[in-house]
Amino acid sequence: MPGNTTEIRAEFRELGSADIAIHSQRFFKTGAGEYGEGDRFLGIRVPVVRQFVRTHRGIPLRTVVSFLRSGFHEERMFGLLALVDRYRRGDDGMKQRVYELYMDNLDYVNNWDLVDSTAHLIVGPQLQDRSRRALYRLARSRDIWKRRVAIMATFHYIRGEDYADTLALAELLLDDPHDLMHKAVGWMLREVGNRDLATEERFLRQHYKKMPRTMLRYAIEKFPEQRRQAYLQGRM
């Protein structure tokens, strides 16, 4: 394993592809006024990044953080996935340290894939038996990615059949202006329904008429067609 951050970064960047980078810049909407405006890419696929994490397991946290704070998307992904790996393998003290690093560096968790790969694997479990007020603070943030961290962190609780925070945050985010939040909230509601359809439908009956259309479509995506149409046409 290379012995310093400069060597690790040089090795990482050798994995890049200019063609993949161009595609990624389009896919992640990096143009002026788009949600990923100004983001830069090296052209490294996520499976390759994950393998790099495994290969360089145990590098110092300061190196992980230097990647997390990079201007290149894949380097931030490497840093974040390295934090996830450190969290999974760590003792309670390490888990707390990783959680604090993650929360202190949320400005760099700044695209939907970075959020969706990490929030439910660090924030969710760390708050499992603690106050979850931090999720509600994030949900009220002006930053879309912090709001997305809040709702995506609850995926951890959904998997444990604990739906209360997902539903409370979904209600709080009903008026969110951003389509990417509508998709995230709808997705989490669908995940609730995959495990407890009655719970999801109680929420939907109360709110579906005022839900953003994209949020509703995501939430009912797997419903039988007749029932899905009834929701879309306001006949429930």
Side-chain angles (χ1 to χ4, degrees):
M1 182 180 73
N4 61 61
T5 302
T6 300
E7 292 176 348
I8 296 172
R9 179 166 278 114
E11 180 185 352
F12 186 73
R13 292 185 180 184
E14 287 178 359
L15 302 173
S17 159
D19 289 341
I20 295 173
I22 291 170
H23 175 269
S24 296
Q25 285 172 333
R26 291 195 300 266
F27 182 77
F28 286 102
K29 308 296 185 184
T30 62
E34 295 182 309
Y35 64 75
E37 180 176 357
D39 205 355
R40 295 185 292 163
F41 288 80
L42 296 166
I44 305 173
R45 302 290 192 193
V46 172
V48 177
V49 177
R50 291 187 182 277
Q51 180 57 52
F52 201 79
V53 170
R54 291 190 289 270
T55 301
H56 293 80
R57 183 171 281 153
I59 63 175
L61 274 176
R62 65 178 180 275
T63 300
V64 172
V65 172
S66 76
F67 272 84
L68 171 55
R69 294 176 179 174
S70 170
F72 286 102
H73 189 100
E74 296 94 338
E75 290 191 351
R76 297 198 303 281
M77 177 64 84
F78 169 73
L80 288 165
L81 293 180
L83 285 182
V84 168
D85 184 69
R86 198 69 57 93
Y87 187 91
R88 282 174 169 164
R89 299 163 62 84
D91 59 17
D92 288 347
M94 178 56 70
K95 289 179 188 298
Q96 180 64 30
R97 189 175 180 191
V98 167
Y99 169 76
E100 291 173 357
L101 279 172
Y102 185 87
M103 296 297 282
D104 288 344
N105 287 280
L106 282 179
D107 287 345
Y108 301 95
V109 190
N110 58 354
N111 214 314
W112 58 265
D113 62 323
L114 303 179
V115 173
D116 297 358
S117 299
T118 58
H120 67 297
L121 298 173
I122 295 176
V123 181
Q126 189 63 19
L127 302 183
Q128 175 71 53
D129 299 315
R130 298 174 174 85
S131 169
R132 298 178 190 175
R133 285 179 293 181
L135 298 182
Y136 294 84
R137 289 195 297 272
L138 291 173
R140 292 182 174 91
S141 172
R142 297 178 64 182
D143 186 315
I144 178 181
W145 308 120
K146 292 178 182 177
R147 300 197 304 274
R148 190 160 174 127
V149 166
I151 191 67
M152 290 305 303
T154 70
F155 198 6
H156 174 78
Y157 312 130
I158 293 170
R159 287 173 167 174
E161 300 183 347
D162 174 3
Y163 312 125
D165 289 294
T166 302
L167 299 177
L169 288 167
E171 186 171 13
L172 183 64
L173 293 165
L174 282 174
D175 296 324
D176 196 284
H178 206 294
D179 184 66
L180 284 173
M181 286 303 301
H182 303 165
K183 292 177 180 178
V185 173
W187 174 16
M188 290 302 100
L189 290 173
R190 185 174 72 236
E191 290 294 340
V192 170
N194 287 344
R195 295 158 177 82
D196 188 336
L197 184 58
T199 293
E200 183 190 7
E201 291 220 62
R202 279 195 297 272
F203 182 90
L204 290 177
R205 288 196 188 96
Q206 183 178 356
H207 299 293
Y208 82 98
K209 289 187 177 180
K210 60 182 178 182
M211 289 171 70
R213 200 70 166 174
T214 298
M215 187 185 297
L216 178 60
R217 286 185 179 278
Y218 269 62
I220 64 175
E221 182 178 320
K222 295 186 178 179
F223 282 23
E225 183 61 19
Q226 185 175 2
R227 196 164 191 81
R228 197 176 71 84
Q229 289 299 325
Y231 273 106
L232 291 174
Q233 296 169 20
R235 296 187 283 103
M236 292 301 298

